[in-house]
Amino acid sequence: MIIGLDVGGTHADVVLLGNEGLIREAKVATDPANLFDTVLSCLDKITQGINPAELHRAVLSTTLTTNAIIQKQTDPVGMIVAGGPGLDPEFFRTNRDYYPVTGSIDHRGREVDPIDPGQIRQIGKRLAKTGIRNVGVVSKFSVRNPEHETQIADLLGRSFEKIFLGHQISGYLNFPRRIATTYLNASVYPIHKNFFNAVKLSLTKKGLKVPIHILKADGGTMSFDASMNFPGQTILSGPAASVMGSIAFAPDKEDSLVLDIGGTTTDMAILINQVPLLDPLGINLGPYKTLIRSLETHSIGIGGDSAVAVKNGRLTIGPERLGKPVAFDGPVPTPSDALILLGMMKNGDKDKAAIGIDMIARQLGLTLEDTAMAIFDKACKTILKEAGAMINRINSKPVYTIHDLMEGHTVKPEKMLVLGGPALHFAKHLEKISDYKVGVVPRWKVANAIGAALARTTCEVTLFADTQLGIVTAPEENYYDSVGPSFSKKDAVKMASSLLEQKAMKIGSHMEDLEIEVVEDMEFNMVRGFSTTGKNIRVKVQVKPGLIHGYDPIAGMLLADM
């Protein structure tokens, strides 16, 4: 059996899955100030009467890191950046405590200018004095030679809790994106560590000793322990869980639109023949363009608990969530209050909902029922408008799935899959006002947790070889070796695949789920004068995202068409 746990900003959803399908499900209010009790409550509800020996693994997804970044609630971190000739690293500043330093390595991995130890020690003292506990270090060509990053880390010594090195965070050469990616990993580390400790303590309290995995933004999982070195990988794991939870119910010969309507946001994505789209370069999150590999998703600030107001005579919904609906003693009216007043949602106090909606009705000059319907209709139309804009953006660039490039493909979804707490209520109206055929994903309230539970462990390896210098390296794996002049691209793919298999098994994969594919293989001749002096080779291999073997995601569940 598998435990799937999705910890959102509003609720934590938990499921217990067996080979026969879903066994149990539960929903618990998230207490960000006491994640231990939140997780423990989930485990209490799901494991009562279950023999711990029958539990094989637990898989988690979370929106905590994403919410912290969007709401600007991350802890301050230090960034030390060595650029060398070219664009000034100051152009890529990520935060206040950001220090460009001397020292550079060229694109072949050769030192041009050394690091200044005195400069690094002085910066370290300054950061420590301000109370900063975590630091990111990035050198421009560290993926070719990480020596300067490791030197800086050594010079900083033990003055900091965690030091993130750019070459370990990403093997891509994109310097600005590697800076942003390293920064985000350092900034969300304290939040992720708190979550990590809460989960570990909760499992210990329950006496459960099972392998723990966490869902990444690309729809695959990694071991929970490994995530402590790559906390940025958990950014957008919540939307990834909703995509993975809907795959089994999507049509296999057409495009479909996935909507996860939650309390705070609506997350959306596209499936092509049951395969998710991929953002191959990396997440764009606010001002940060990263190298965090991700499914192609889009989130908007509209959900069941979004704040409703009238501004300049016009009805507005979100993006803020100011608390519970008025029907549950919250401070401001929400779409959920509208649904309760209209009789669509049966829980909640209808009289209190009416009081909340009346605040809006008086400003619009409408009846209570017309106001409630206007709120609900606007929420649905806004979601459809944003979905259309997302589809247009996808069609304006090359379309990648998690498996390959869909050359010339134009995304035209006719099917919509809806999940999330209020999904059942939204689905009917979305179909009424659009051209979509709308279906509600089975167990729509906990589909995220099901998607997380069934996701396959994924990872990637990037390998570089320079036959002139006689070196081969996979910086993210701390792998370095020498090669001869006859080393070929075929040799590089074989070596990278071997490293990938070792890495995948180390972070919790199983042999039956190891579907390895080559996603990049490039080879360039290096010429001096009129002679070829060697080859520059770059390959990238990955384990394909997908669902694990041995568990039936459809057993006992049928898609509900509206």
Side-chain angles (χ1 to χ4, degrees):
M1 290 186 285
I2 299 175
I3 295 172
L5 175 63
D6 176 55
V7 181
T10 308
H11 292 101
D13 302 324
V14 61
V15 296
L16 183 66
L17 298 177
N19 299 102
E20 68 277 25
L22 183 67
I23 298 172
R24 290 180 186 170
E25 63 178 275
K27 186 180 287 285
V28 173
T30 300
D31 182 357
N34 194 343
L35 289 173
F36 169 74
D37 280 352
T38 299
V39 176
L40 186 60
S41 180
C42 287
L43 294 175
D44 281 340
K45 290 178 179 292
I46 214 70
T47 61
Q48 188 174 5
I50 297 296
N51 180 358
E54 296 183 53
L55 296 171
H56 298 301
R57 72 171 188 164
V59 188
L60 320 173
S61 64
T62 178
T63 61
L64 296 175
T65 51
T66 309
N67 292 347
I69 294 168
I70 292 173
Q71 297 170 18
K72 298 180 179 179
Q73 294 177 349
T74 57
D75 286 1
V77 301
M79 285 295 296
I80 299 176
V81 182
L87 285 175
D88 186 346
E90 190 61 44
F91 284 114
F92 316 127
R93 172 177 285 272
T94 51
N95 59 314
R96 183 192 65 189
D97 299 294
Y98 179 98
Y99 295 93
V101 298
T102 58
S104 65
I105 287 172
D106 71 12
H107 69 285
R108 298 281 300 280
R110 299 169 297 195
E111 184 177 73
V112 178
D113 294 306
I115 293 294
D116 179 352
Q119 182 187 33
I120 302 303
R121 292 191 183 99
Q122 184 179 14
I123 292 170
K125 289 178 181 178
R126 194 176 306 166
L127 291 173
K129 190 175 181 180
T130 60
I132 284 174
R133 302 296 307 137
N134 304 294
V135 179
V137 178
V138 182
S139 173
K140 188 173 185 179
F141 288 107
S142 60
V143 296
R144 297 292 169 83
N145 181 353
E147 184 61 29
H148 280 182
E149 288 183 358
T150 56
Q151 281 183 27
I152 292 171
D154 289 342
L155 288 165
L156 293 174
R158 300 182 179 179
S159 301
F160 302 94
E161 180 178 348
K162 188 80 171 175
I163 299 175
F164 291 88
L165 304 184
H167 75 277
Q168 294 175 346
I169 294 298
S170 175
Y172 279 100
L173 277 171
N174 193 308
F175 184 42
R177 282 181 178 263
R178 195 152 17 93
I179 292 172
T181 306
T182 305
Y183 164 71
L184 288 179
N185 272 271
S187 65
V188 302
Y189 173 75
I191 295 125
H192 186 62
K193 181 183 177 183
N194 184 34
F195 178 55
F196 179 91
N197 289 336
V199 171
K200 288 280 192 177
L201 285 171
S202 299
L203 287 168
T204 300
K205 179 80 172 178
K206 292 292 296 179
L208 301 177
K209 298 179 180 179
V210 294
I212 312 171
H213 300 249
I214 191 161
L215 194 70
K216 301 182 297 176
D218 68 356
T221 72
M222 68 191 307
S223 74
F224 205 21
D225 289 334
S227 73
M228 291 298 286
N229 292 321
F230 305 97
Q233 294 283 356
T234 68
I235 296 170
L236 297 187
S237 80
S242 64
V243 175
M244 303 309 290
S246 63
I247 286 176
F249 308 100
D252 62 357
K253 298 296 183 183
E254 61 183 89
D255 302 344
S256 46
L257 170 66
V258 177
L259 295 181
D260 180 2
I261 305 172
T264 306
T265 63
T266 293
D267 303 321
M268 51 190 73
I270 295 291
L271 298 175
I272 298 177
N273 305 333
Q274 295 186 315
V275 179
L277 296 191
L278 179 73
D279 186 342
L281 186 55
I283 296 168
N284 287 358
L285 192 62
Y288 307 112
K289 295 182 178 180
T290 80
L291 292 170
I292 299 170
R293 192 168 175 271
S294 168
L295 299 184
E296 186 85 58
T297 61
H298 178 56
S299 300
I300 61 172
I302 288 187
D305 296 348
S306 295
V308 175
V310 177
K311 297 179 181 178
N312 299 320
R314 301 184 65 179
L315 183 66
T316 65
I317 305 175
E320 301 87 2
R321 177 186 182 273
L322 301 179
K324 298 177 181 179
V326 177
F328 296 94
D329 298 319
V332 297
T334 69
S336 291
D337 289 306
L339 291 172
I340 291 168
L341 184 64
L342 292 169
M344 296 183 189
M345 286 177 59
K346 302 304 179 184
N347 56 339
D349 189 317
K350 190 173 182 178
D351 291 335
K352 290 180 179 178
I355 293 172
I357 298 300
D358 185 59
M359 297 164 53
I360 304 300
R362 289 175 181 274
Q363 298 177 70
L364 295 177
L366 298 174
T367 66
L368 284 178
E369 288 74 15
D370 286 347
T371 302
M373 195 63 220
I375 292 169
F376 182 44
D377 185 64
K378 183 177 179 65
C380 289
K381 287 179 177 176
T382 303
I383 290 170
L384 288 171
K385 181 181 177 181
E386 288 287 338
M390 178 191 71
I391 292 168
N392 289 336
R393 284 194 299 273
I394 290 171
N395 285 328
S396 70
K397 58 185 181 180
V399 178
Y400 287 86
T401 72
I402 59 175
H403 293 170
D404 48 29
L405 169 64
M406 303 290 288
E407 197 122 26
H409 184 86
T410 299
V411 173
K412 293 181 179 179
E414 296 180 1
K415 181 78 174 183
M416 180 190 293
L417 298 174
V418 188
L419 60 151
L424 191 63
H425 313 295
F426 274 78
K428 292 181 180 180
H429 196 64
L430 286 168
E431 182 169 272
K432 181 180 178 181
I433 63 174
S434 74
D435 295 327
Y436 289 102
K437 178 65 177 176
V438 181
V440 179
V441 173
R443 310 292 183 179
W444 62 90
K445 294 182 180 180
V446 293
N448 271 18
I450 294 172
L454 296 178
R456 180 185 298 165
T457 299
T458 62
C459 55
E460 62 183 18
V461 166
T462 305
L463 184 137
F464 304 95
D466 186 324
T467 62
Q468 183 184 14
L469 297 178
I471 59 171
V472 61
T473 175
E476 294 167 279
E477 322 314 320
N478 286 321
Y479 178 82
Y480 307 93
D481 205 349
S482 57
V483 295
S486 63
F487 189 81
S488 66
K489 184 168 64 176
K490 183 178 180 181
D491 296 326
V493 169
K494 183 177 179 181
M495 182 178 289
S497 298
S498 176
L499 290 171
L500 179 66
E501 183 176 314
Q502 295 173 39
K503 180 178 183 178
M505 299 302 289
K506 185 177 180 181
I507 66 172
S509 187
H510 297 281
M511 286 302 297
E512 63 267 25
D513 294 321
L514 280 183
E515 293 186 45
I516 295 176
E517 64 180 343
V518 179
V519 293
E520 185 179 329
D521 58 339
M522 298 187 297
E523 180 178 285
F524 303 99
N525 288 329
M526 291 178 285
V527 179
R528 178 171 294 173
F530 297 98
S531 302
T532 299
T533 58
K535 291 173 290 189
N536 195 311
I537 302 169
R538 171 190 169 95
V539 301
K540 181 182 287 289
V541 293
Q542 71 167 15
V543 177
K544 291 182 182 181
L547 304 180
I548 60 173
H549 295 284
Y551 288 83
D552 187 349
I554 302 179
M557 296 187 284
L558 296 175
L559 183 68
D561 285 321
M562 304 310 301

